[in-house]
Amino acid sequence: MSRFLSERMRAFAAYTPGEQPKVTGALIKLNTNESPYPPPPSVARAMTPDAIARLRLYSDLAAADLVSALSEDLGVDRNQIAVGNGSDEVIYFAMIAFGGSGAAFADITYGFYPVWSKLIGIEEQVIPLKADFTLDPADYASLGKMILIANPNAPTGIALSPSDIERILRANPDQVVLVDEAYVDFGGESCVPLAARYDNLLVCRTFSKSRQMAGARLGFLVGSPALIADVEKVRYSVNPYNVNSLTQIAGAASVRDKPYFERTRQSIIATREWTSSALNKLGFAVLPSSANFLFAKAPNLGGQAYMQALRRHNILVRWFDADRIRDYVRITIGTDEQMRLLIEYTQRIIGGTDA
Ligand SMILES: *Cc1c(COP(=O)(O)O)cnc(C)c1O
């Protein structure tokens, strides 16, 4: 720390991302919920010399072609979409715009929400999930604060139905409810169709998980034109050229390749299902997942010990040093072969025959 750091930032604890080691052939990286598959071939084809030459220009402020592709895909108007440098950025913008009276979120959810609350300086209200890690909509009545809900939730993978979200929207008509749908393509039900009926709903999506583009940094919000205009006001005050031109092109190409998207997401779901039952058979407690990861507890060792044992076999999973979830690890769904190896080593680890 330098002697120049402001008083406020001295005391500030930054978000800790999952480890990002150099990926070599031997490493099985199941710790940050990336896709094991590459983006569709149409994305590589779109990276033309002309697209690269245009890097000399600033990117399109309106991301017009990308927003058109999204608008067509989701059945919402173009002025109902705001794009960002990852969904992280647009959630941050939304909190600046709508967190004036504070922000409420679960005790076990995306670790960035409390970090942004503190960074922006808004009051936070943490609402514990139930003992089984489900969220009770009754706990979210008239909170008088912006509400953030990851649905499906991370790191649990548990999904809430749109009718439960509707209950929360109706109980908080004067506050924005942001539904973070980073994982919705893996089995959750989207709240995007509700955006036409609720002027206090913002839905957030990302290209990082189901669209194989975590490194391109692309996410977006869907909401009423008025909410989107407010988010755009923040975007224009921070970084109007937030989505680079190659990412805009890549994103549009990805959205237009529906068969590839469908194939890859179905394949992850199928791999998740057999991996979950294989872990169950080994005595693990596995939460019901609607995401591209499993949140699981080993029968006879703690989360940190299991994480470390897997690491000795070059398999990375995520363990959170946090109350209530220390016994669990979060395992990203990889390819069938990667998960087969995970199960094989896990069998040895919990059977005590690990070399
Ligand atoms: C991965 C994730 C995001 C964000 O991702 P970006 O890469 O910034 O788009 C947002 N919310 C949740 C719950 C996530 O798990």
Side-chain angles (χ1 to χ4, degrees):
M1 187 193 306
S2 80
R3 63 200 163 89
F4 306 105
L5 189 66
S6 70
E7 192 82 38
R8 195 168 83 85
M9 289 309 289
R10 273 166 202 259
F12 188 79
Y15 176 73
T16 316
E19 202 187 339
Q20 299 292 2
K22 200 164 175 183
V23 178
T24 65
L27 189 73
I28 299 181
K29 190 171 180 304
L30 309 176
N31 68 332
T32 53
N33 298 341
E34 292 139 328
S35 177
Y37 305 113
S42 55
V43 168
R45 282 197 302 271
M47 298 295 108
T48 60
D50 182 55
I52 290 160
R54 292 177 67 85
L55 281 173
R56 74 185 180 80
L57 302 172
Y58 279 107
S59 57
D60 177 9
L61 279 167
D65 190 49
L66 168 62
V67 168
S68 287
L70 287 170
S71 144
E72 225 165 275
D73 187 53
L74 298 165
V76 300
D77 287 341
R78 284 185 302 234
N79 63 2
Q80 291 187 266
I81 298 169
V83 297
N85 192 293
S87 57
D88 286 342
E89 188 187 54
V90 280
I91 300 169
Y92 174 65
F93 288 170
M95 290 179 79
I96 291 175
F98 309 116
S101 6
F105 41 81
D107 60 339
I108 298 161
T109 189
Y110 191 35
F112 242 131
Y113 304 154
V115 173
W116 288 317
S117 297
K118 290 178 189 84
L119 184 64
I120 302 167
I122 59 188
E123 189 198 338
E124 59 188 273
Q125 180 176 351
V126 175
I127 303 176
L129 297 175
K130 291 196 287 188
D132 64 357
F133 298 121
T134 59
L135 181 153
D136 185 351
D139 293 338
Y140 287 72
S142 309
L143 294 180
K145 293 183 183 68
M146 181 185 188
I147 295 170
L148 300 160
I149 298 176
N151 188 40
N153 196 13
T156 64
I158 295 174
L160 209 58
S161 71
S163 62
D164 280 338
I165 300 280
E166 263 193 283
R167 263 182 77 185
I168 296 169
L169 286 162
R170 275 194 247 110
N172 298 274
D174 299 322
Q175 293 294 335
V176 169
V177 178
L178 189 153
V179 181
D180 180 350
E181 295 189 344
Y183 300 103
V184 78
D185 296 320
F186 302 106
E189 214 185 314
S190 178
C191 287
V192 165
L194 299 179
R197 268 186 290 142
Y198 292 93
D199 69 354
N200 59 333
L201 170 65
L202 269 183
V203 179
C204 181
R205 293 277 189 88
T206 176
F207 281 63
S208 297
K209 316 298 171 33
S210 57
R211 290 202 178 270
Q212 308 97 14
M213 283 175 41
R217 310 307 302 128
L218 183 58
F220 62 96
L221 290 171
V222 177
S224 74
L227 285 185
I228 293 302
D230 293 342
V231 171
E232 290 287 89
K233 184 171 181 177
V234 178
R235 179 168 79 101
Y236 273 71
S237 310
V238 178
N239 183 15
Y241 301 107
N242 57 342
V243 180
N244 75 74
S245 52
L246 289 180
T247 290
Q248 291 187 21
I249 293 169
S254 164
V255 173
R256 291 184 175 122
D257 196 334
K258 291 186 193 193
Y260 186 88
F261 170 71
E262 202 47 42
R263 221 165 42 242
T264 46
R265 105 190 158 92
Q266 291 302 346
S267 133
I268 300 245
I269 292 171
T271 305
R272 177 189 74 210
E273 291 309 298
W274 76 250
T275 305
S276 174
S277 53
L279 287 171
N280 260 314
K281 282 193 199 110
L282 294 176
F284 276 71
V286 187
L287 299 190
S289 173
S290 299
N292 67 337
F293 57 82
L294 293 168
F295 204 49
K297 182 166 94 167
N300 55 359
L301 76 171
Q304 187 176 26
Y306 176 49
M307 181 259 298
Q308 285 165 344
L310 284 172
R311 207 192 158 96
R312 288 194 278 276
H313 297 287
N314 273 323
I315 299 177
L316 291 191
V317 298
R318 187 96 191 256
W319 172 71
F320 297 91
D321 187 6
D323 281 349
R324 295 184 72 186
I325 55 172
R326 266 190 198 91
D327 289 342
Y328 287 78
V329 299
R330 191 192 66 191
I331 306 166
T332 304
I333 301 302
T335 61
D336 281 326
E337 173 63 10
Q338 290 175 327
M339 301 324 273
R340 199 186 58 67
L341 286 167
L342 171 97
I343 296 295
E344 190 182 310
Y345 288 124
T346 296
Q347 208 157 6
R348 290 198 222 161
I349 292 163
I350 64 167
T353 58
D354 194 30

